[in-house]
Amino acid sequence: MPDVDIRPVNGHTLTKLHPIPPETLDTPPAPVDKPDTVEAVDRPDNPLADWLTVPDVPVLPVWARSAASIKANVAAFVRLSWWQARYHGIRTPKYLVKTLLLAARGFYRATVGMWPTLSAQDHSAVVKALRAQSKARPEDVELAARLQLAHGIRTRTRRWRFGAAATAVAAATIGIILADPLVQAGVAAAVVTPLAHLGRGKDTVLLDQGAPPLRVDMSAQQLNDALRAAGLLKSGRGDEEGPRVTCTMGPVRDGRGWAVIFDLPRGGGKTASDVLAKREVIAQELGVDEIQVIMSRVRAAKGGNAGRVSMWVADDDPYLGAPNPSPLAKAQAFSIWDPIPFGQDARGNRIEVPVMWQSMFFGGLPRRGKTFTQRLMTAAGLLDAYVRHYMADGKGGADWMPMRAVAHRLVMGAEDAAVQALKAMLAELLIEMERRFAILRELPTSLCPEGKLTPELVRLKNMPVIFVTIDELQEYFTAMDRDDREQVINDLCRIARRGPAAGFVSNFASQRPDAESVPTKLREIITLRYSTQVVDKASSDMVLGKGKAAQGADASVLSEDHVGTGVLVTGPASYVTVRADYLDGPGFAALCAKGRALRQAAGQLTGDAAGDVTAAADAAGLKLAPILSDVLEVMRHSPRMFTTDLIAGLVNLDEDVYGDFNAERLAAELEAAGVKRTSKQVKISGTTLAGYQRRDIEGAVPPEILLG
């Protein structure tokens, strides 16, 4: 007997016969499977498998798959309807005038069209023919009689037709005059509407367009033509068009652009990565700038494959316009364990970046918003009292100056004293990192299940998350000799590589990070990368990683107008162009003051911030003379400083204020602020020149601030 498969399917029974292999003839029969253990219908050898396969397609459209989606779409429809009603309601007088003009034209056309009937032109042809014949044969009496009869018939026809038309018009006019206003309006509409319809032209549009015309139009045909021009689709032979992509969605309108998801045809040898690499050519073929074309692969987790591409083509540049304020500016507190609000992508989707267990690198040209964007990450840490900040700024300008209110360690500038302070800061960080690992190793798995810092351990063991922020790295590396440079690079690599497990978050930034300014071995271990505009693809790859530009993550396509916009790479094949949230200098300073208050309340104000004179004065509501505050900042790492070096530091801090200062003016300003110099000469490294002692500057600070 052949082997029999009996499977119930939708109330029916499928019976399939299979040959019995010879080697199983002498074996005892296998036990019969119970109905609930029968194998599935969709077997490869079942001829009905394809027909019985349930399509893996959602039954409902995307907008109707959840109550929230339905509610949102209905609300959007109501808002759109209300906007359209207001838009066209204001233009009603204009529409009435246009309607009357069309009705007048329609009346003229109706009159011209009815004139042959009113004037009985069908009879006129007979009259004209008989008149011509009568002139040729005036002696023909019968012909003359026929002409007279035809002329009389035409005359009577004209009279009753014109009379009927006049009577109808007069009756309608009198009826309208005597009728109620509502009836008058109805009759007028009944008369004007067909006349206006008759008076319309080929290109006549009565209503104004409520929305601006589409700047970009896209169809499946245009998409195929663009891909074929880019060499991603083969051309056909003769009149054949060739292979085409399969659109699994769209093209459809999606916000301020067109969205489409398509599969490349098989047999062409092209993949989704090939499409991403041809972004510029595709944009040119679609008639847009490449910044308007947003493409990405659709991975298997989202139902994709190696040839499926998601594309969104914006109507205009999606990264221009008023900046989006950072939600951190109004926040009272924030947990660094949560993703940090970072910005928006081209379609307006909120981008949030988790930073725990991560390290970050920011790069790009000067004055493109690199520092402002890097400060967003640090700003989130300001609002968490259990985040300890280690900050170094190689430029030493005003961008990071407010951090003196919060930072456990603050290094400003790249002078010799600042370089030594940076080295000491890194050594302190490494000691703290090893101390934490020693503690974590001894903890039971119930407290430390993964051998890493947890939110509970932060407070239990007083091990706050450590945020290491270094801006303008290249300034430090340029200022160091070879041995110091190698030592600092190795220290940074250790912190970025091992530090995350101990609660260290690295946040580094530099301009074009070539091998000289920021070595490859440091850049390659960074997990999150962000680049504002750069000059070329090679520079973009230096920031974002080798080969990223070929995958579509190319910061060189950004222009000078894209300040605060950059490409964010979050993984080997994950990237997005982000318009970062905006947090200006005063807003950042306010967050630093808020962060200081949070740390004071939690007992977490430590290090340099705890002893910072200027920050203490600000917190106490006292105002130091600006010259005192700035001089103390420049002399942060030096107990004494030559006058020339002090003026240079002040100029670097604020060129607009101190650009014209000389030794005499500096002395006069400090004397006016209450500084009494114990000596006008200072000795540094065996050299004695005019200068200042830091203790003399601090002597002008109110005692209650120094004691507090």
Side-chain angles (χ1 to χ4, degrees):
M1 289 291 293
D3 184 24
V4 180
D5 260 354
I6 301 177
R7 311 192 194 102
V9 179
N10 296 332
H12 302 282
T13 300
L14 297 180
T15 303
K16 297 169 63 176
L17 302 179
H18 306 290
I20 299 178
E23 60 273 13
T24 63
L25 290 177
D26 297 332
T27 59
V32 179
D33 290 337
K34 296 180 181 179
D36 57 349
T37 60
V38 174
E39 57 186 0
V41 172
D42 51 349
R43 279 180 41 160
D45 55 351
N46 183 358
L48 299 180
D50 293 338
W51 179 69
L52 291 171
T53 300
V54 178
D56 188 15
V57 178
V59 177
L60 294 175
V62 176
W63 63 269
R65 293 178 190 171
S66 66
S69 178
I70 295 175
K71 182 179 179 181
N73 281 277
V74 170
F77 176 76
V78 172
R79 291 196 304 270
L80 175 63
S81 300
W82 173 235
W83 186 90
Q84 292 284 359
R86 287 182 293 142
Y87 179 88
H88 293 296
I90 294 176
R91 290 161 177 78
T92 299
K94 176 182 178 181
Y95 298 156
L96 290 176
V97 173
K98 291 176 69 174
T99 301
L100 292 177
L101 293 176
L102 292 175
R105 185 193 295 174
F107 179 78
Y108 171 77
R109 290 179 177 177
T111 303
V112 172
M114 293 178 62
W115 183 255
T117 301
L118 294 174
S119 61
Q121 288 189 5
D122 50 341
H123 295 283
S124 297
V126 177
V127 172
K128 290 179 181 180
L130 291 175
R131 183 180 290 119
Q133 293 177 9
S134 180
K135 286 182 179 181
R137 293 180 293 170
E139 69 282 357
D140 192 338
V141 177
E142 182 180 359
L143 185 60
R146 290 172 57 192
L147 173 61
Q148 186 177 9
L149 178 62
H151 188 275
I153 294 173
R154 185 183 71 172
T155 301
R156 287 191 296 274
T157 302
R158 284 180 174 179
R159 286 174 181 174
W160 76 260
R161 289 183 181 180
F162 274 109
T167 301
V169 172
T173 303
I174 294 172
I176 293 175
I177 294 174
L178 298 178
D180 293 334
L182 188 61
V183 177
Q184 290 177 344
V187 174
V191 173
V192 171
T193 300
L195 290 178
H197 180 74
L198 182 62
R200 75 191 190 285
K202 185 177 181 181
D203 299 325
T204 300
V205 178
L206 178 62
L207 302 181
D208 292 346
Q209 189 170 359
L214 296 179
R215 300 187 182 183
V216 178
D217 199 2
M218 187 168 70
S219 64
Q221 181 62 43
Q222 290 173 309
L223 176 62
N224 280 279
D225 291 343
L227 294 175
R228 189 166 286 110
L232 299 168
L233 294 178
K234 294 181 179 179
S235 300
R237 298 179 180 178
D239 296 335
E240 296 180 0
E241 188 178 14
R244 301 169 59 86
V245 299
T246 302
C247 294
T248 59
M249 185 200 78
V252 296
R253 289 294 297 172
D254 183 1
R256 296 176 56 193
W258 290 91
V260 61
I261 299 176
F262 61 88
D263 288 335
L264 292 171
R266 298 181 182 180
K270 299 297 183 180
T271 65
S273 299
D274 296 322
V275 178
L276 302 184
K278 293 287 187 176
R279 175 184 174 190
E280 184 176 3
V281 179
I282 294 173
Q284 188 274 331
E285 292 297 326
L286 292 176
V288 298
D289 189 87
E290 59 187 303
I291 198 68
Q292 296 172 242
V293 180
I294 312 299
M295 295 190 296
S296 63
R297 287 189 56 180
V298 182
R299 294 289 181 175
K302 297 182 178 180
N305 54 67
R308 180 165 293 183
V309 179
S310 174
M311 177 188 295
W312 186 73
V313 182
D315 294 334
D316 48 22
D317 193 325
Y319 304 110
L320 299 181
N324 304 307
S326 172
L328 295 171
K330 297 182 178 180
Q332 298 303 314
F334 185 83
S335 173
I336 202 64
W337 298 86
D338 297 331
I340 296 176
F342 187 67
Q344 295 182 359
D345 65 7
R347 302 165 83 165
N349 299 317
R350 168 57 57 182
I351 302 299
E352 296 182 336
V353 181
V355 298
M356 289 305 298
W357 327 126
Q358 306 285 350
S359 52
M360 298 169 285
F361 185 85
F362 293 79
L365 293 174
R367 292 171 294 281
R368 295 295 184 271
K370 171 175 56 65
T371 298
F372 275 59
T373 308
Q374 185 191 18
R375 284 196 315 200
L376 285 174
M377 300 305 190
T378 302
L382 294 173
L383 296 176
D384 189 335
Y386 287 88
V387 174
R388 182 174 295 168
H389 289 275
Y390 286 72
M391 172 70 217
D393 178 17
K395 184 171 59 177
D399 292 336
W400 295 97
M401 191 67 67
M403 284 292 292
R404 61 190 175 190
V406 182
H408 180 80
R409 292 287 179 261
L410 179 61
V411 179
M412 301 297 291
E415 295 77 17
D416 291 343
V419 170
Q420 296 303 317
L422 174 66
K423 292 165 59 178
M425 184 182 83
L426 295 179
E428 179 181 334
L429 285 169
L430 291 174
I431 294 173
E432 174 65 14
M433 183 175 69
E434 297 302 333
R435 183 187 75 85
R436 292 189 175 200
F437 278 127
I439 295 175
L440 295 174
R441 283 194 298 267
E442 299 300 325
L443 293 175
T445 55
S446 59
L447 289 178
C448 188
E450 298 181 1
K452 298 189 296 186
L453 188 68
T454 66
E456 294 75 21
L457 290 175
V458 167
R459 297 173 185 260
L460 181 64
K461 296 296 184 180
N462 192 24
M463 292 192 295
V465 174
I466 291 182
F467 225 96
V468 185
T469 304
I470 304 179
D471 193 10
E472 305 294 352
L473 263 173
Q474 77 284 346
E475 295 294 331
Y476 290 112
F477 293 146
T478 302
M480 296 176 184
D481 58 35
R482 182 176 179 179
D483 293 338
D484 284 346
R485 183 172 180 270
E486 288 299 320
Q487 181 61 48
V488 168
I489 291 172
N490 291 333
D491 291 347
L492 292 174
C493 288
R494 290 179 61 190
I495 293 172
R497 183 170 52 249
R498 300 185 60 221
F504 284 52
V505 179
S506 300
N507 183 16
F508 304 150
S510 175
Q511 296 178 20
R512 185 177 186 266
D514 53 23
E516 293 297 325
S517 57
V518 182
T520 303
K521 70 176 182 179
L522 174 59
R523 282 183 281 125
E524 291 304 317
I525 61 176
I526 303 295
T527 53
L528 299 178
R529 303 182 180 199
Y530 181 86
S531 177
T532 57
Q533 184 197 12
V534 292
V535 295
D536 52 29
K537 295 181 184 295
S539 298
S540 179
D541 280 350
M542 287 181 182
V543 180
L544 301 177
K546 185 177 181 180
K548 287 296 186 291
Q551 298 177 9
D554 183 9
S556 67
V557 304
L558 301 172
S559 70
E560 294 79 2
D561 298 324
H562 295 128
V563 177
T565 297
V567 180
L568 173 66
V569 172
T570 57
S574 302
Y575 66 89
V576 61
T577 301
V578 183
R579 190 180 187 195
D581 294 334
Y582 180 67
L583 180 65
D584 59 10
F588 183 70
L591 286 182
C592 288
K594 193 179 297 183
R596 182 181 180 89
L598 290 173
R599 283 158 177 78
Q600 285 178 327
Q604 291 294 317
L605 188 65
T606 59
D608 294 348
D612 190 276
V613 173
T614 304
D618 292 340
L622 300 175
K623 187 67 176 177
L624 287 181
I627 187 67
L628 288 179
S629 176
D630 292 340
V631 168
L632 285 173
E633 185 58 43
V634 174
M635 299 183 70
R636 171 178 292 273
H637 310 295
S638 304
R640 61 191 65 85
M641 185 174 286
F642 295 138
T643 301
T644 53
D645 294 336
L646 180 56
I647 292 176
L650 290 171
V651 172
N652 184 57
L653 187 65
D654 194 335
E655 186 175 1
D656 295 335
V657 175
Y658 301 108
D660 298 331
F661 266 54
N662 54 27
E664 291 74 16
R665 183 175 177 182
L666 176 62
E669 293 282 348
L670 288 174
E671 184 177 355
V675 174
K676 297 180 180 179
R677 301 169 69 179
T678 57
S679 173
K680 295 185 179 181
Q681 302 287 321
V682 295
K683 186 175 182 179
I684 303 175
S685 301
T687 303
T688 302
L689 294 173
Y692 291 84
Q693 303 275 357
R694 189 171 62 195
R695 64 172 181 267
D696 294 342
I697 309 299
E698 292 176 345
V701 179
E704 58 268 25
I705 297 177
L706 294 175
L707 295 175

